[in-house]
Structure formats: C-alpha cells, structure tokens
C-alpha cells in the first residue's frame, strides 16, 4: 500500500496508470501508450519519467561529509561540490542493503538519493554522535528526461550551458524559469538528465516539457519502459539484481569499492569476502520470443546453477534478455544453459553485458 504520493499522480492517472506501489509511492507501471513506443522515444529522441519514488535525504552539518563517506563504498573526499557518486550501501557483513547517488551540493551539504533498501537507517546510524542532520525530503521530486534529444531540448530552456555539464555533475539553475537541480544522471543507457524540483514546481515543469517537447517527439514514459531500457543497459535494481546476500564483487560493482579511503561501513567484511564469490552477475539471451519468467531456474548439464532476476523482451534488439545470478563456473560468455520456469522451458546463452551500447559511448558522450 502506498503511503507517499507524487504531485504528478493525477497526470499519471490521466495517461492511464493505476499507480502501482513502488517504494511506498504510487508509480506509473503502465500508460495507455505502448511501452515499445516509449522505448523507441528514449533511444531515438527522449522520454520523460517520474522517478519521485526514489527517496531523497538531506545530510547537513559539519560532519555531513564524514557521514556520507562512511555510508557508501565510494571515496566522497574525491567528489567536490557540483559532482555526485553512485555506489552500494553495505551492511556490517559486507552485503549490499541499498544503492545510492550522493550529490555534493556545498560545504556540509549533501543530497542522498536511494531506492527501497536501508540507506536511511544506515545514514542515521553513521550520524550518531556527529554534527549532522538527516532529513527525509519528500517534497523534492525527481523527473528524468532521457535520450539523445534531451540535451538540446533542455539547453534551450535553461540559462546554463547544459552541453558542458559532464556525466555525474549537477548544477542549481532554472528550467522554464523555475528553480531546479539538474543532474547528468539517469537509468536508461542514454545521455539524459534528472531534474529535481519541489512539488510546487514539478507539475508545471512536467507539463511544459511535454507540451514544448511534443513536436520533437518527447513523450511520457512508464516504469515498464524503464525496466526494459535498464535491462538492456545492465543497470541493477535493488533488491532484484543485488541483495543483502551479495557483495559488490559478485554483482559487477567491484569498480565502486575504494581501496584507498579510510573506514566505511562493512569495509573489513567486504574485503574479507573478496575472492569468495558464491554467484556472479551475468546477462543471458534466451531462445524465446518474449520476456522469460523472473525467478526461473538456470541449469547446466542438469545441475542447478542460477536464477533469472530481471527479464525483458527487447523489440529493438529482437532478443529475450535477462540479468541473472549464476555460479562462477557457469558465468563464462557463451555458456549454454537450460532455463526452466513454471510455464516455460528454453535454452539460454550467457552474454556480455551491457547488451546495449557495451562501451557506454551514449551516456558518456
């Protein structure tokens, strides 16, 4: 049951959404529009998402930097004002209990944006006895314009030079004359921008973007579309692709663990578990003409070796894709597996990930 409501809820209902719950907020899983058409818009033009179900937390005070640095595996001392960092949040045993982007807004001023895990609780624990306030800010909304047309479109309606804003950088500015924080981040595998605005401003911004951008082919996009494009780009979703049982070493997040920074939550345990991976994150291409079943078993020569976590049918690649956990011995690219769900059975091949734009030239352009 949803306990939070987006200021855009009425707009989503008008587009055909029943507002299914995600992270305590009603989210538009489907619209009247075809998710494949939305998918095409993101890859060819731009699509607008309401991702306000992400939780936004303000961390402020003289010890705010230390709190943020302790709660994430990234070295926040290397993230100056105007930049952000993405990484996992660990439990004391080194398992992943959430993921987050932490934005450095100013001296002693941070914005932490996280999903459905325990990040807020861990922030509060790390702030104990320190000069840092931890405040959940649900008035702050997050809409995301993703796709190759996003930079040119937004640049025409903001005073800053948006084309100069680098990946994982952000700026406080105005958009259509309204105050926003624009961040060059997203969940699509395309160049795109997240736009943070208060409830007062997010509704007219949503309306202005869609009305002004209609001629350029910009459309509202559902979470069904978002799931398809993020699977193509192999972007992980807690707690499906990473869980409390997994370490960063198991789920392609080794790059996010700083070996040089000082203490952080789970540091000793996560390094002790390095080299002891029980599963590895892989992609598979299934011999099937639709999305396969989440939770389907993967076997190799009759032995159970893994499970499907995040499946999707890509009409653009004409492939049935999935992100999976498999035993390390079954993780080599090209390995042939049998996939067995409750209502289906087919062969599947371990594939490189990301499936789409593996060199990430589009997000980093």
């Amino acid at each position: 049951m949803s306990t939070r409501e987006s200021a855009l809820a009425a707009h989503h209902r008008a587009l055909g959404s029943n507002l299914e719950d995600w992270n305590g907020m009603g989210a538009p899983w489907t619209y009247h529009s075809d998710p494949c058409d939305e998918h095409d818009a993101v890859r060819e033009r731009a699509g607008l998402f309401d991702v306000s179900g992400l939780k936004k937390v303000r961390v402020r005070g003289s010890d705010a930097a230390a709190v943020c640095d302790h709660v994430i595996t990234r070295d926040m001392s290397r993230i100056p004002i105007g930049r952000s960092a993405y990484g996992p949040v660990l439990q004391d045993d080194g398992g992943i209990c959430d993921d987050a982007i932490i934005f450095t807004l100013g001296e002693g001023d941070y914005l932490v944006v996280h999903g459905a895990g325990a990040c807020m609780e861990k922030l509060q624990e790390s702030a104990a006895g320190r000069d840092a306030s931890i405040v959940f800010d649900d008035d702050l909304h997050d809409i995301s314009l993703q796709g190759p047309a996003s930079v040119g479109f937004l640049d025409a309606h903001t005073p800053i030079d948006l084309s100069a804003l680098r990946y994982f950088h952000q700026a406080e500015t105005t958009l259509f004359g309204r105050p926003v924080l624009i961040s060059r981040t997203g969940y699509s595998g395309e160049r795109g921008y997240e736009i943070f605005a208060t409830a007062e401003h997010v509704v007219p911004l949503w309306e202005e973007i869609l009305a002004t951008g209609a001629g350029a082919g910009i459309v509202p996009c559902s979470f069904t579309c978002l799931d398809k494009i993020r699977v193509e780009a192999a972007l992980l979703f807690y707690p499906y692709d990473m869980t409390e049982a997994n370490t960063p070493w198991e789920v392609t997040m080794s790059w996010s663990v700083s070996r040089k920074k000082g203490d952080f939550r789970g540091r000793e345990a996560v390094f002790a578990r390095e080299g002891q991976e029980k599963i590895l994150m892989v992609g598979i291409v299934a011999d099937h003409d639709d999305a396969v079943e989440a939770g389907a078993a993967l076997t190799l020569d009759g032995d159970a070796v893994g499970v499907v976590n995040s499946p999707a049918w890509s009409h653009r690649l004409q492939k049935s894709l999935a992100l999976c956990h498999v035993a390390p011995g079954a993780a080599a690219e090209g390995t042939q597996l049998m996939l067995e769900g409750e209502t289906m059975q087919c062969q599947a091949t371990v594939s490189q990930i990301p499936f789409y734009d593996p060199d990430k030239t589009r997000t980093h352009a």
Side-chain angles (χ1 to χ4, degrees):
M1 180 178 177
S2 298
T3 57
R4 309 162 58 210
E5 182 171 271
S6 170
L8 293 163
H11 288 68
H12 299 317
R13 291 190 182 98
L15 290 166
S17 173
N18 291 322
L19 291 176
E20 295 83 1
D21 179 76
W22 178 69
N23 207 15
M25 179 176 284
W29 284 100
T30 57
Y31 290 141
H32 288 317
S33 50
D34 186 336
C36 292
D37 293 339
E38 300 167 12
H39 188 160
D40 289 338
V42 173
R43 295 287 182 240
E44 298 170 12
R45 302 177 302 278
L48 184 63
F49 300 87
D50 178 13
V51 289
S52 299
L54 293 166
K55 293 182 177 178
K56 286 75 63 181
V57 182
R58 304 282 190 178
V59 183
R60 291 174 172 141
S62 62
D63 292 332
V67 171
C68 290
D69 193 52
H70 186 255
V71 86
I72 200 167
T73 60
R74 303 292 299 278
D75 185 350
M76 290 303 298
S77 71
R78 299 174 62 87
I79 309 300
I81 295 169
R83 287 184 55 188
S84 62
Y86 167 77
V89 177
L90 304 183
Q91 304 180 120
D92 291 338
D93 67 0
I96 299 171
C97 62
D98 210 342
D99 60 341
I101 298 178
I102 301 182
F103 298 82
T104 306
L105 302 180
E107 293 296 333
D109 187 3
Y110 294 83
L111 174 66
V112 179
V113 179
H114 71 95
C119 183
M120 179 68 166
E121 174 188 331
K122 299 306 177 187
L123 283 167
Q124 291 169 331
E125 291 176 2
S126 293
R130 288 173 160 153
D131 176 28
S133 64
I134 312 296
V135 179
F136 175 51
D137 185 356
D138 217 20
D139 184 54
L140 188 65
H141 283 56
D142 182 1
I143 57 177
S144 183
L145 188 67
Q146 300 291 308
S150 61
V151 58
F153 174 78
L154 293 175
D155 190 55
H157 302 287
T158 183
I160 65 171
D161 179 7
L162 196 65
S163 65
L165 192 68
R166 298 171 61 189
Y167 194 46
F168 273 84
H169 286 60
Q170 73 273 356
E172 293 187 76
T173 182
T174 59
L175 181 64
F176 291 102
R178 295 180 177 274
V180 294
L181 176 73
I182 298 182
S183 169
R184 190 176 159 185
T185 46
Y187 198 49
S188 67
E190 296 291 342
R191 183 166 183 159
Y193 300 86
E194 289 184 90
I195 302 158
F196 295 90
T198 62
E200 174 189 0
H201 296 297
V202 76
V203 174
L205 282 168
W206 176 272
E207 294 169 347
E208 286 271 19
I209 291 170
L210 291 178
T212 309
I218 294 174
V219 300
C221 294
S222 65
F223 272 40
T224 297
C225 167
L226 188 63
D227 204 42
K228 287 157 62 71
I229 59 178
R230 72 94 183 171
V231 170
E232 283 186 340
L235 299 172
L236 309 188
F237 185 20
Y238 181 90
Y240 299 97
D241 305 304
M242 48 184 162
T243 73
E244 295 178 359
N246 304 132
T247 65
W249 322 119
E250 295 177 315
V251 292
T252 67
M253 296 188 75
S254 302
W255 60 270
S256 70
V257 183
S258 173
R259 296 181 181 276
K260 295 181 179 180
K261 70 180 281 188
D263 186 40
F264 59 90
R265 184 177 301 281
R267 186 184 194 281
E268 183 176 343
V270 77
F271 285 116
R273 292 173 66 176
E274 186 177 14
Q276 300 181 23
E277 293 76 37
K278 295 179 180 179
I279 60 92
L280 292 175
M281 170 70 67
V282 301
I284 62 164
V285 176
D287 185 14
H288 194 60
D289 59 3
D290 202 347
V292 298
E293 294 177 10
L298 297 169
T299 60
L300 177 62
D301 298 329
D303 296 326
V305 294
V307 64
V308 172
N309 298 319
S310 296
W313 168 255
S314 170
H315 76 285
R316 293 182 65 86
L317 300 180
Q318 285 294 294
K319 292 178 180 179
S320 182
L321 311 175
L323 302 177
C324 309
H325 289 169
V326 300
E333 186 176 345
T335 301
Q336 298 291 310
L337 304 174
M338 182 61 66
L339 184 152
E340 300 181 17
E342 291 185 3
T343 62
M344 58 174 298
Q345 180 173 323
C346 65
Q347 289 189 320
T349 304
V350 176
S351 170
Q352 72 163 4
I353 48 176
F355 303 103
Y356 172 77
D357 189 25
D359 295 328
K360 301 185 178 181
T361 57
R362 297 177 73 87
T363 52
H364 293 66

